[in-house]
Amino acid sequence: MRYTTDWEDYELIDCSCGEKLERWRREILIRPDPQVIWKSEKEHRLWYQPCARYVRSRTGGGKWQVYKRIPDAWQIKYKDLTFNIKTMGFKHTGIFPEQAVNWDYTRKLIRESGRDDVKVLNLFAYTGGATVACLKEGASVVHVDASKGMVQWAKENAAASGVKDGDVRWIIDDCIKFVQREIRRGNKYDIIILDPPSYGRGPKGEIWHLEDSIYDFVKLVSQVLSDEPIMVLLNSYTTGLSASVMKYILDDVITSEKGGRVDADEIGLPVSSKNQVLPCGSSAIWTKNI
């Protein structure tokens, strides 16, 4: 399993009975997590002193129960990156801290390429963790997400991290339709980052099921990969799309045409109160030999 131990402002303190006990800078939050199926004793005192807890409803959705005053929004840092955090619907906070291991790896590949003209396409880009990381390394980035609010949040993260004046295009669009237009325009990218949702609807009611759609989408995306590619990163939180399945897809579509190799594994977060790591999804990464 791949994970980073470099977080200071975020900490996964403990996890049990379907919940995570987390520290986001100073704020202590309890959030549900379906991966946490074990029922170990909740011995850590902060289980009983949280600032807020997200409680799911039996009829769907849920809400935050606030026990102590917390800011409407606050910032946390990961190395030289700064992110704006807030408690949102569906338990979210605005970033997925386990993705830091992928930010680090992407930045490493950009540095090791020795190039100052690396072009990155970040699809389903959410609040821009990967976008900000790539901008920090001097890459140019096209950031695409269908949500206007998420793109605005990503712009705020770029400003907080000191890269708002970087070479970036902010695109509010359906990712499939954007890639189709990029193919027609002949635009190419050296790094492509894909973090698609498990389920979604397009602007005209098109239904997206990840397992049914991802192979065709990877084939589509492969057509905008440059002649000197560096990386394709495919991430999933869908239990039916394992690391091995994603590796097979990238090998079948990209390695067969471009050479290189695919490495795939779970990503996770270390649990600070125990010698354990919580699995938090999977990533498959194709790289061309640099």
Side-chain angles (χ1 to χ4, degrees), residues 126-265:
Y126 195 49
T127 60
T131 294
V132 172
C134 293
L135 289 171
K136 275 289 187 182
E137 295 302 325
S140 64
V141 183
V142 174
H143 172 112
V144 187
D145 197 279
S147 168
K148 181 179 180 179
M150 292 301 105
V151 173
Q152 178 58 37
W153 197 334
K155 291 180 180 179
E156 293 166 3
N157 285 335
S161 294
V163 290
K164 70 175 182 178
D165 296 324
D167 187 357
V168 56
R169 292 173 59 206
W170 306 103
I171 307 294
I172 303 167
D173 201 354
D174 175 81
C175 288
I176 294 175
K177 289 181 170 50
F178 178 79
V179 172
Q180 289 170 338
R181 287 197 298 274
E182 289 294 86
I183 292 169
R184 293 195 293 270
R185 289 187 285 241
N187 289 333
K188 302 284 186 177
Y189 299 89
D190 308 302
I191 292 176
I192 301 175
I193 299 169
L194 307 165
D195 194 356
S198 300
Y199 174 84
R201 286 186 179 273
K204 296 183 178 179
E206 306 95 329
I207 296 176
W208 165 278
H209 285 290
L210 184 58
E211 295 97 323
D212 298 335
S213 305
I214 191 59
Y215 181 81
D216 289 339
F217 188 58
V218 171
K219 288 203 62 130
L220 186 72
V221 165
S222 70
Q223 297 179 62
V224 296
L225 200 56
S226 74
D227 294 333
E228 297 182 3
I230 296 172
M231 181 184 82
V232 176
L233 188 156
L234 176 58
N235 189 78
S236 173
Y237 291 97
T238 303
T239 54
L241 197 64
S242 68
S244 297
V245 169
M246 292 192 293
K247 180 182 187 305
Y248 197 106
I249 292 171
L250 292 186
D251 272 330
D252 190 65
V253 175
I254 299 176
T255 310
S256 62
E257 293 291 328
K258 302 284 189 180
R261 58 177 288 171
V262 177
D263 297 290
D265 204 346

Side-chain angles (χ1 to χ4, degrees), residues 84-97:
N84 296 284
I85 303 298
K86 60 185 174 183
T87 52
M88 304 162 56
F90 301 103
K91 78 177 183 179
H92 295 306
T93 61
I95 66 164
F96 294 91

